Amino acid sequence: MADFTKEDNELIQREFESLRLAALKRCANQEEYEGVIKAFEFANKAHKGVRRRSGEPYILHPIDVAKIVVQEIGLGYKSIVTALLHDVVEDTEYTVDDISRLFGPKIASLVDGLTKMKSTMDSKNIGKTEEQEKSIQAENFKRILLTLNDDVRVILIKLADRLHNLRTIASMPERKQDKILSETMYIFIPLAHRLGLYSIKSEMENIWLKYRQPEQYNEICRKLAEVTEKKGAAIDSFIAPISKLLESARFKFTITKRIKTPYSIWNKMQTKGIPFEEIYDLFAVRIVFTPKKGSSERKQCWEIYSLISEDFLSNTDRIRDWVSTPKSNGYEALHCTLMNPRGGWVEVQIRTVRMDVIAEKGLAAHWNYKGEKIASNQTQENELDNWLNMVREVLENPDANALEFLDRFHTGLLSKEIYVFTPKGESKRMQKGATVLDFAYAIHSEIGNKAIAAKVNMKLVPLSYTLHNGDLVEIISADSQRPQREWLDFVKTAKARNLIMDSIKENIDSIKLGQEKLERELTKLGVKSSKRVLTKLIAEFKLNNKDELYSKIGAEIIDHPNLDNTPKKNKENKLVNYWNLQQKAAQKETEKTPADSEATASVRVMKLTMPLEGWTVSQMTNLLRMPYSRQKLVSH
C-alpha cells in the first residue's frame, strides 16, 4: 500500500473543500459541522494509500457519494457522515462498534445497514447458472430491504453510492458493468422513481442506455442536438410573452425549457413503435413561482394557467392536475399543453418553489416541509411514510419465494395509481390493476375476508373485477364468507395477498385442531368417525362440508355443553345434541365491522346474513332486487 503523491493529496483536499462548503449550509450547529470534518479525517486515514480501479485515491468515492447525498438528494448531517464512512467497516479493520463509539449509535446503525447491503450485493455468483444468479440476486435484494430498519436514509445513501458507481463505470471490467447495469435497471431506477428522485432516475437511465444500447444512444443524442439547434429559438419566442403575462400579474418566477432525455425518447420509441421524428413532446416549459400570501398554492397554479391560456390555445384533454392529487412519489404540479404560434404543441409545467424542490429531490425533501401548513391549511401528505408502509407490507410474508417477492416488489414500485371513491365521495388511492377485493382489504381485513361481491357504479360485479379511475365502490359481505385460495390468483396488492395467506393458514390450523377435537370427543362418546356421522353433523348445523365443520369447532364457534347434561339418546342423536352451535359475540349481527383507515367510516358495506357460497352473480343480482325484509340485508 503506497502513500499518495502530493498531487493526490491536493486533489483530495480540493474535492473535500466543495463538500465542506455544501455541508456547512446543512449542518444545524458547530458540533455537526465539526462532526463532518472528523468523519472525513477518519475515513481519509482508514482508506490511506488505497486506490480505485481507475487509479484515483479511494477516498474520492465516499467524498463524491456524500456530495450527492447533500447536494442532489438534500439530506443532512447524519447522512453526510454516513456517506463518508459507508465503506470503512467493509474495507478496513474498523468495526461498527468503533463507528458507534466515535460517531454515535445512529450513524453506526446506518453504516451497518449499508455494509450489509454492500456485502449482500457483492456476493460472488461464479459458476452459477443464469436462473441461480437471478434467484441469488432476488434473495439479496430481499435482505437489502430488511436492512431498512424504518430508516429510508439507508436506501437514499445507497442510491447515491450506486449513482457514483455508474458515473465511473467505464473503469470497471465488462462482467462487473453488466451486473451493475442489470441491478440498476431492475432495482435502483424503480426505487429512485418511487422516491421521487427524478434527476437521479434520469441520469441512471441515460447511463444504462449509453452502455446497453450505445449506437441508439449516440444516434438519439445526435438528433436531439440537431432539433435543439433548429427549434430552440421557437421555444424562446414562446416563453417571452408568457414571461410578460406573469410579470404583469406580479408573480415572482423563473421559466426554463426542458429537453426530453435520451432514455425517455428511446423508451417511447420502443413502447409506441415509432421513429424519433414522430415524437412531438421533445420540449417542455417549466414555470416555477413563489406563491403569494393569502391564497392557496393550488389556486395560484390554476390562476397562472388561466392567465396564459387566454393568449394561447390550450389542449384541455392533456391537462394533468397533480396539485389536487399528487403522484405516489410526492410529485406535485399542474401540467397543460399550449399551441406555439410558430407551430407545435408545447407542454407547460406549473409549480411552486416547494413543489419544484420535491420534484427534483423527491420524498427526502418532505423532511424539510413535514408538518408545514400550506396556504390551503391542509397539512402536506407524507408520502415517504406511505412508501415505507408499502415496503413493510411486502416484507410481512417472510416465507415468500425470493423471485416471487422481487417480482411483486418490482411491480409495486413501477405501478401507477388510480383513485376510487366510497359511496360518500371520499377517495382512496389504489395501484392500477387493483380489484374489488384489493379495495375491500385496503379498507379493513375483516371486510376483505367476508367480501362476496361489490357494486361498482351501482352495478353488481364479482370480487375479481378490475377497478378503474373514478369508480364508485360499495362492498357486499356475508358472515358465512371465508377467504378462498383462488383469491390469490387475482389480487394485485401485497396487503391483500398477505392477509389472504394469513387467513388461509389460520383456517388450515383451525381445521386440524377441530378435527382432532371432534375425534377426541367422538371417542369419549363411543362413536366412530365416519362419513355418515359427519354428514349428520354438517346437516344439523347447516354447513357446507366437513372442513367448515372442523374449522368452526377448532375456532370454538361450534361448542358443546357439559357431558352430564347430554340427553340420553342413541349414540348418533346423542352426538347431535352434544354439539351446539354458539355464535361468538364478534359475529353478532348487531356489531359493526371495525375500521382501520380514514375512508372506512364512510364506506358502505352491504352485509348478507344468509350463507351465499356457490352463488352466481346472476343469483345475487336477483337477491338484491328483493325487498329488504325478504333478503335480510344489513347495510353499514
Side-chain angles (χ1 to χ4, degrees):
M1 184 183 294
D3 289 340
F4 292 144
T5 65
K6 179 182 177 182
E7 290 76 16
D8 289 331
N9 288 322
E10 288 175 350
L11 175 61
I12 291 169
Q13 290 302 322
R14 280 198 308 273
E15 292 299 313
F16 176 66
E17 179 63 15
S18 62
L19 172 62
R20 184 188 68 79
L21 293 174
L24 186 60
K25 298 175 183 178
R26 294 292 300 171
C27 291
N29 50 51
Q30 184 67 20
E31 183 181 355
E32 288 188 356
Y33 172 70
E34 290 174 356
V36 172
I37 305 295
K38 179 182 175 182
F40 163 69
E41 292 174 347
F42 179 80
N44 194 23
K45 180 182 176 182
H47 296 299
K48 188 174 180 60
V50 180
R51 296 181 183 274
R52 301 192 82 198
R53 190 179 292 271
S54 62
E56 294 179 330
Y58 192 88
I59 187 61
L60 295 180
H61 169 64
I63 290 173
D64 284 331
V65 173
K67 284 182 186 178
I68 295 170
V69 161
V70 64
Q71 294 173 338
E72 300 182 46
I73 302 180
L75 299 178
Y77 159 70
K78 287 185 176 68
S79 298
I80 297 169
V81 171
T82 301
L84 286 168
L85 302 174
H86 79 273
D87 280 337
V88 168
V89 173
E90 174 71 17
D91 297 338
T92 75
E93 295 180 354
Y94 290 102
T95 66
V96 174
D97 289 338
D98 294 328
I99 302 297
S100 182
R101 177 171 49 81
L102 292 169
F103 298 97
K106 184 59 189 177
I107 289 173
S109 173
L110 293 171
V111 171
D112 188 38
L114 285 160
T115 301
K116 290 175 181 175
M117 190 180 295
K118 183 175 186 295
S119 61
T120 294
M121 300 204 76
D122 289 346
S123 59
K124 306 295 183 184
N125 296 339
I126 297 173
K128 304 289 185 182
T129 65
E130 183 179 345
E131 188 64 24
Q132 287 173 326
E133 284 192 16
K134 187 177 179 183
S135 182
I136 290 170
Q137 285 190 14
E139 187 61 44
N140 288 347
F141 183 59
K142 190 174 178 182
R143 290 175 188 163
I144 286 169
L145 290 175
L146 289 169
T147 67
L148 275 171
N149 293 325
D150 295 333
D151 198 326
V152 78
R153 283 176 292 188
V154 174
I155 288 290
L156 294 172
I157 298 167
K158 183 60 188 177
L159 281 167
D161 178 51
R162 176 49 56 103
L163 178 59
H164 186 253
N165 284 333
L166 287 168
R167 287 173 177 174
T168 57
I169 196 171
S171 62
M172 298 178 185
E174 188 175 341
R175 180 177 174 83
K176 182 77 169 177
Q177 286 183 4
D178 288 342
K179 181 175 183 292
I180 286 176
L181 289 169
S182 62
E183 284 177 354
T184 298
M185 178 51 71
Y186 199 73
I187 297 172
F188 290 103
I189 287 174
L191 274 171
H193 166 75
R194 178 57 65 180
L195 290 168
L197 296 164
Y198 174 78
S199 297
I200 289 176
K201 168 182 173 284
S202 296
E203 186 174 352
M204 285 181 170
E205 288 172 337
N206 288 334
I207 293 172
W208 180 90
L209 183 64
K210 181 179 179 180
Y211 283 88
R212 280 294 169 89
Q213 303 288 341
E215 292 182 5
Q216 294 184 52
Y217 173 81
N218 291 329
E219 180 68 7
I220 289 171
C221 287
R222 183 185 65 78
K223 289 183 176 180
L224 260 182
E226 290 177 358
V227 171
T228 302
E229 187 176 351
K230 289 179 182 178
K231 296 187 177 181
I235 299 297
D236 291 337
S237 66
F238 174 75
I239 289 174
I242 293 178
S243 295
K244 289 181 181 179
L245 287 170
L246 295 178
E247 286 169 0
S248 65
R250 299 181 182 278
F251 278 103
K252 293 181 180 179
F253 64 94
T254 58
I255 299 184
T256 56
K257 57 185 175 185
R258 177 194 65 81
I259 302 173
K260 207 171 186 69
T261 66
Y263 174 84
S264 60
I265 293 171
W266 174 83
N267 189 50
K268 194 165 190 177
M269 290 168 62
Q270 300 301 310
T271 55
K272 301 285 186 181
I274 58 176
F276 179 92
E277 290 71 24
E278 291 184 22
I279 297 177
Y280 301 112
D281 59 344
L282 293 173
F283 295 94
V285 171
R286 182 172 297 157
I287 301 170
V288 179
F289 70 96
T290 302
K292 301 173 184 178
K293 292 183 179 179
S295 180
S296 71
E297 292 183 353
R298 178 177 180 273
K299 184 177 180 180
Q300 290 181 64
C301 286
W302 281 102
E303 182 182 344
I304 289 175
Y305 166 72
S306 177
L307 195 67
I308 62 179
S309 61
E310 287 182 5
D311 287 14
F312 295 90
L313 177 64
S314 173
N315 185 342
T316 54
D317 290 337
R318 292 184 60 84
I319 292 175
R320 301 292 181 266
D321 181 7
W322 286 305
V323 178
S324 302
T325 53
K327 291 185 178 182
S328 62
N329 60 12
Y331 180 82
E332 296 175 74
L334 177 62
H335 289 198
C336 60
T337 302
L338 306 178
M339 174 60 75
N340 186 347
R342 292 178 62 172
W345 293 102
V346 180
E347 180 182 83
V348 178
Q349 303 167 356
I350 305 169
R351 311 173 178 170
T352 65
V353 173
R354 178 188 66 81
M355 294 174 189
D356 190 57
V357 172
I358 291 171
E360 294 303 313
K361 295 186 176 178
L363 293 179
H366 277 264
W367 281 321
N368 295 331
Y369 296 97
K370 192 172 182 179
E372 177 181 318
K373 296 283 186 178
I374 57 179
S376 63
N377 292 323
Q378 295 292 320
T379 304
Q380 172 180 309
E381 184 180 7
N382 192 340
E383 293 289 347
L384 183 58
D385 289 338
N386 292 343
W387 184 82
L388 284 173
N389 287 335
M390 185 272 290
V391 172
R392 292 186 192 104
E393 285 175 8
V394 176
L395 291 172
E396 276 176 4
N397 184 16
D399 299 325
N401 173 273
L403 280 172
E404 179 188 350
F405 165 88
L406 183 55
D407 286 339
R408 286 210 314 271
F409 193 86
H410 181 256
T411 302
L413 287 173
L414 294 177
S415 64
K416 296 181 179 180
E417 285 75 31
I418 60 171
Y419 288 84
V420 295
F421 297 88
T422 70
K424 288 192 175 181
E426 294 188 18
S427 65
K428 189 161 187 68
R429 182 161 53 203
M430 303 293 296
Q431 74 179 53
K432 190 174 182 180
T435 65
V436 162
L437 189 57
D438 288 303
F439 176 80
Y441 275 109
I443 300 303
H444 192 275
S445 59
E446 280 305 300
I447 292 176
N449 288 340
K450 296 182 181 301
I452 57 169
K455 281 186 175 180
V456 175
N457 304 324
M458 305 304 293
K459 294 181 180 179
L460 194 67
V461 298
L463 296 176
S464 58
Y465 179 83
T466 300
L467 295 171
H468 301 89
N469 206 36
D471 280 346
L472 183 68
V473 187
E474 184 176 349
I475 302 297
I476 301 170
S477 70
D479 279 338
S480 58
Q481 180 67 298
R482 295 290 180 272
Q484 309 296 316
R485 191 176 295 276
E486 294 76 21
W487 289 0
L488 295 171
D489 294 336
F490 59 80
V491 292
K492 302 298 181 184
T493 61
K495 181 176 183 179
R497 179 174 294 274
N498 290 338
L499 287 170
I500 292 167
M501 292 180 72
D502 287 346
S503 296
I504 290 173
K505 186 176 183 298
E506 287 176 7
N507 190 47
I508 291 172
D509 292 342
S510 292
I511 289 172
K512 185 178 179 181
L513 179 63
Q515 184 177 5
E516 292 173 353
K517 189 173 182 180
L518 176 59
E519 289 177 354
R520 188 167 56 248
E521 298 301 336
L522 287 175
T523 302
K524 289 181 183 178
L525 291 169
V527 176
K528 185 178 180 181
S529 179
S530 66
K531 184 176 180 180
R532 186 176 62 172
V533 170
L534 293 175
T535 300
K536 204 162 192 176
L537 285 170
I538 290 166
E540 175 69 19
F541 300 130
K542 298 179 176 61
L543 304 176
N544 295 304
N545 51 54
K546 65 179 181 180
D547 281 348
E548 188 177 358
L549 174 67
Y550 291 147
S551 178
K552 288 191 172 182
I553 292 173
E556 297 184 351
I557 295 171
I558 296 179
D559 209 345
H560 60 84
N562 188 282
L563 261 178
D564 294 338
N565 298 325
T566 305
K568 300 297 182 183
K569 297 184 180 179
N570 66 61
K571 288 182 178 179
E572 288 187 11
N573 286 336
K574 179 180 178 184
L575 178 66
V576 170
N577 285 312
Y578 178 72
W579 293 88
N580 291 291
L581 191 62
Q582 297 182 353
Q583 294 293 339
K584 294 293 182 181
Q587 292 182 305
K588 287 182 180 177
E589 198 174 305
T590 56
E591 185 174 61
K592 292 184 178 180
T593 306
D596 61 356
S597 73
E598 293 178 5
T600 313
S602 66
V603 174
R604 184 163 171 256
V605 181
M606 301 178 71
K607 183 177 177 186
L608 293 165
T609 57
M610 59 179 66
L612 289 176
E613 287 87 352
W615 282 47
T616 65
V617 171
S618 176
Q619 288 172 320
M620 285 190 279
T621 302
N622 293 331
L623 174 71
L624 293 170
R625 288 171 179 161
M626 294 180 187
Y628 274 29
S629 59
R630 289 182 61 196
Q631 61 171 303
K632 298 181 181 178
L633 189 64
V634 180
S635 178
H636 61 91

